[in-house]
Amino acid sequence: MTSTAPAKTAPAKSTAAKTGAEKTGAEKTGAHTEEAAALIDDARSRIDTLDDRIIGLVQERMAVSAVIQEARITSGGRRISLSREMEILGSYRDALGRPGTSLAMTLLELCRGRA
């Protein structure tokens, strides 16, 4: 006697289980319309481009700072100029408010290099 049990089929995918490629623009961005999703996608692309530029500028700043530190040390000075750092902190604070100070501190830390 042979078995006539029905073949098992895979369950249908739910909306929650969709992969990134299958999701609509609205689902990927959290927008409620495709028009808003398109705007968000474009803006995110611009942010990605800006972030790439910012990272490049920070790396360039680090290299320039290393040249300055080397010149200072070679001439018998200290590696860091605290008065210059205070100027930078003030500049960022004036331009960006209180969070600017935190950003400047992070940049200064990155650019100090290793002692």
Side-chain angles (χ1 to χ4, degrees), residues 50-99:
L50 290 168
D51 284 344
D52 288 343
R53 288 173 48 198
I54 290 167
I55 290 167
L57 289 169
V58 169
Q59 291 170 331
E60 184 178 349
R61 189 187 194 288
M62 291 168 66
V64 172
S65 183
V67 169
I68 292 169
Q69 290 174 46
E70 181 64 28
R72 219 186 267 126
I73 292 168
T74 301
S75 70
R78 299 182 63 185
R79 185 170 59 89
I80 297 170
S81 170
L82 295 178
S83 62
R84 174 65 177 149
E85 288 194 357
M86 293 306 293
E87 287 176 28
I88 293 166
L89 289 169
S91 177
Y92 275 75
R93 182 189 60 245
D94 293 346
L96 302 172
R98 190 171 175 189

